[in-house]
């Protein structure tokens, strides 16, 4: 088995971070089980975390189970990824493991080095600027001088939902409610309407949505403002569209939340955003987590906790050799077999405190 030990060193700059803020150290393992490709060419892309002023990544080990691999740079946003491949394919299952250690800091505003805020003012494929967002800003008197007002607008207008597990429903990921364990209340009560389209929960559940781009969990700002129900990708894309329309630079971050225990499984990804104030740096926001726990609304405007790891920043990634075009969200494995997208794999994530 080929293994790569690769240490990513950080220059830790504590701008805007008081001594009272916390830190956490843990190991993280990203695992992918590949099914046999029956001799067809196999290509796999995985995000690789980098050190920055908020986290130190060390002891990176990639075990590709005999497959060839290369570490590559994603140039538009300064991310890194691993490209794993075999031109002759595989006849047996393969288990890919990527592990690394993390020291993560609880953070407030940070003046990140080598980040040009001007690169985060324009639209991306699912995060447009202007248009309906200009109207929202005008109608609700939002201002770039009051970013708390933008945060509160998204927090009030968005509602956390879950996608359906019913694959025979005819819908693509319509949302349903349930009880918020933090509040004991319905996530999606049926006595209010949602989004600019003012749909009830039952109307949303009955609607036939077969457009995979205009749907829950894609970080589609137009979907978020129209429907008003989504996950972290939708909340923060909406916030970024409004911020950039106000000519306030804003960025998208994606990684994994780390549970509070000593070790265990990580169920899935998480994302958040930050916005830039000249002379002060980048202020983080985590609006979906604030919506889950009203006691943390103040906290998550300008602070993010240490129980997370960032894997990538930005959107619309260009990955060497990938045939699917620009990648909207890059957190889970991307697999191609015979130059065609494939889901012939399973994934899992785990952590252990250090």
């Amino acid at each position: 088995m080929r293994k790569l030990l690769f240490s990513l060193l950080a220059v830790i700059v504590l701008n805007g971070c008081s001594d009272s803020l916390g830190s956490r150290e843990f190991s993280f393992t990203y695992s992918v089980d590949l099914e046999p490709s029956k001799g067809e060419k196999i290509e796999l892309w995985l995000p690789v975390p980098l050190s920055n002023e908020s986290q130190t990544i060390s002891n990176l080990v990639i075990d590709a189970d005999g497959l060839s691999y290369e570490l590559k740079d994603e140039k538009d946003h300064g991310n890194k990824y691993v490209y794993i491949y075999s031109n002759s394919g595989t006849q047996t299952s393969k288990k890919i493991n990527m592990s690394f250690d993390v020291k993560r800091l609880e953070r407030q505003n940070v003046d990140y080095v080598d980040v040009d805020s001007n690169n985060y003012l324009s639209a991306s494929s699912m995060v447009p600027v202007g248009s309906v967002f200009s109207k929202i800003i005008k109608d609700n008197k939002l201002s770039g001088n009051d970013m708390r007002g933008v945060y509160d607008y998204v927090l009030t207008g968005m509602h956390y939902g879950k996608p359906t597990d019913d694959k025979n429903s005819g819908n693509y990921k319509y949302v349903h409610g349930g009880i918020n364990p933090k509040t004991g209340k319905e996530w999606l009560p049926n006595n209010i309407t949602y989004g600019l389209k003012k749909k009830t929960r039952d109307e949303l559940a009955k609607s036939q949505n077969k457009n995979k781009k205009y749907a829950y969990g894609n970080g589609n700002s137009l979907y978020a403002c129209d429907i008003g129900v989504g996950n972290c990708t939708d909340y923060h894309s909406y916030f970024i569209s409004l911020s950039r329309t106000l000519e306030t630079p804003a960025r998208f971050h994606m990684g994994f939340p780390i549970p509070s225990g000593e070790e265990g499984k990580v169920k899935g990804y998480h994302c958040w955003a930050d916005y830039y104030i000249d002379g002060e740096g980048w202020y983080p926001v985590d609006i979906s987590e604030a919506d889950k726990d009203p006691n943390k609304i103040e906290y998550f405007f300008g602070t993010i906790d240490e129980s997370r790891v960032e894997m990538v920043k930005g959107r619309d990634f260009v990955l060497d050799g990938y045939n699917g075009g620009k990648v909207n969200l890059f957190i889970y494995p991307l697999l191609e077999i015979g130059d065609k997208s494939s889901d012939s794999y399973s994934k899992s994530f785990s952590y252990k405190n250090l």
Side-chain angles (χ1 to χ4, degrees):
M1 295 182 181
R2 294 181 61 195
K3 293 189 178 182
L4 175 66
L5 180 62
F6 183 72
S7 252
L8 301 172
L9 301 178
V11 177
I12 302 299
V13 181
L14 299 180
N15 293 359
C17 181
S18 72
D19 291 340
S20 64
L21 295 184
S23 65
R24 186 174 180 184
E25 296 185 50
F26 52 91
S27 63
F28 190 91
T29 301
Y30 187 124
S31 298
V32 185
D33 292 307
L34 299 176
E35 298 175 14
S37 71
K38 300 178 181 179
E40 288 193 86
K41 180 174 72 171
I42 187 168
E43 297 172 282
L44 178 70
W45 295 261
L46 307 177
V48 174
L50 286 171
S51 295
N52 57 38
E53 289 82 351
S54 295
Q55 65 185 25
T56 303
I57 306 298
S58 60
N59 299 324
L60 173 69
V61 177
I62 297 173
D63 180 352
D65 199 1
L67 301 177
S68 299
Y69 61 90
E70 301 173 25
L71 275 172
K72 291 180 171 286
D73 295 317
E74 181 277 320
K75 297 179 177 59
D76 288 343
H77 304 285
N79 298 296
K80 191 174 286 289
Y81 62 97
V82 61
Y83 170 61
I84 300 170
Y85 60 96
S86 173
N87 290 329
S88 59
T90 62
Q91 298 294 341
T92 60
S93 299
K94 294 290 182 177
K95 187 174 185 65
I96 311 299
N97 276 316
M98 176 172 65
S99 62
F100 49 87
D101 295 339
V102 183
K103 180 176 181 181
R104 180 75 196 190
L105 302 178
E106 184 182 20
R107 289 310 244 159
Q108 295 177 339
N109 58 307
V110 182
D111 192 7
Y112 290 97
V113 298
D114 299 327
V115 176
D116 186 350
S117 61
N118 292 318
N119 292 337
Y120 296 95
L121 284 167
S122 59
S124 56
S125 61
M126 292 196 187
V127 186
V129 298
S131 183
V132 65
F133 302 103
S134 296
K135 185 176 188 306
I136 290 170
I137 288 167
K138 180 180 179 181
D139 291 348
N140 294 277
K141 298 181 173 59
L142 301 179
S143 168
N145 295 320
D146 178 20
M147 293 303 293
R148 177 57 191 263
V150 180
Y151 171 90
D152 287 340
Y153 178 80
V154 176
L155 178 65
T156 302
M158 288 294 294
H159 300 267
Y160 196 80
K162 294 285 187 180
T164 181
D165 293 325
D166 182 4
K167 296 182 180 180
N168 298 315
S169 67
N171 291 280
Y172 178 78
K173 288 187 177 179
Y174 71 68
V175 294
H176 63 84
I179 301 298
N180 180 347
K182 295 288 186 180
T183 64
K185 298 179 180 179
E186 281 277 349
W187 281 118
L188 302 176
N190 206 29
N191 61 347
I192 63 172
T193 58
Y194 296 88
L196 297 183
K197 291 192 173 181
K198 298 187 180 301
K199 299 287 188 179
T200 67
R201 183 191 67 192
D202 290 349
E203 286 174 332
L204 290 176
K206 293 175 182 178
S207 65
Q208 298 297 308
N209 181 11
K210 297 181 180 179
N211 184 336
K212 292 185 178 183
K213 292 184 177 180
Y214 183 82
Y216 171 101
N218 280 322
N220 185 322
S221 299
L222 293 174
Y223 170 85
C225 68
D226 281 350
I227 304 303
V229 178
N231 73 354
C232 58
T233 67
D234 305 306
Y235 281 73
H236 296 105
S237 296
Y238 195 179
F239 176 83
I240 290 170
S241 282
L242 291 170
S243 299
R244 292 180 181 179
T245 301
L246 287 165
E247 299 185 349
T248 297
R251 299 187 300 169
F252 189 90
H253 300 261
M254 204 162 195
F256 293 97
I258 307 302
S260 59
E262 287 296 314
E263 62 181 301
K265 298 293 185 183
V266 175
K267 293 182 179 179
Y269 68 77
H270 183 52
C271 59
W272 57 97
D274 55 6
Y275 65 91
Y276 183 76
I277 300 297
D278 191 30
E280 299 179 26
W282 294 88
Y283 284 85
V285 296
D286 196 334
I287 312 174
S288 56
E289 287 301 294
D291 204 13
K292 291 178 185 178
D293 187 353
N295 292 323
K296 292 187 175 180
I297 288 174
E298 296 292 332
Y299 176 85
F300 281 122
F301 178 70
T303 310
I304 52 172
D305 60 80
E306 66 274 28
S307 291
R308 62 184 69 202
V309 57
E310 177 185 291
M311 299 296 289
V312 294
K313 55 189 177 293
R315 302 282 288 273
D316 287 358
F317 307 103
V318 177
L319 306 180
D320 287 351
Y322 184 65
N323 290 300
K326 289 186 177 181
V327 178
N328 174 39
L329 301 171
F330 184 33
I331 187 68
Y332 289 156
L334 295 174
L335 175 65
E336 289 185 350
I337 296 178
D339 294 325
K340 295 181 180 180
S341 178
S342 173
D343 59 1
S344 298
Y345 69 87
S346 61
K347 62 187 183 297
S348 62
F349 317 102
S350 61
Y351 76 98
K352 184 176 181 179
N353 285 350
L354 295 176

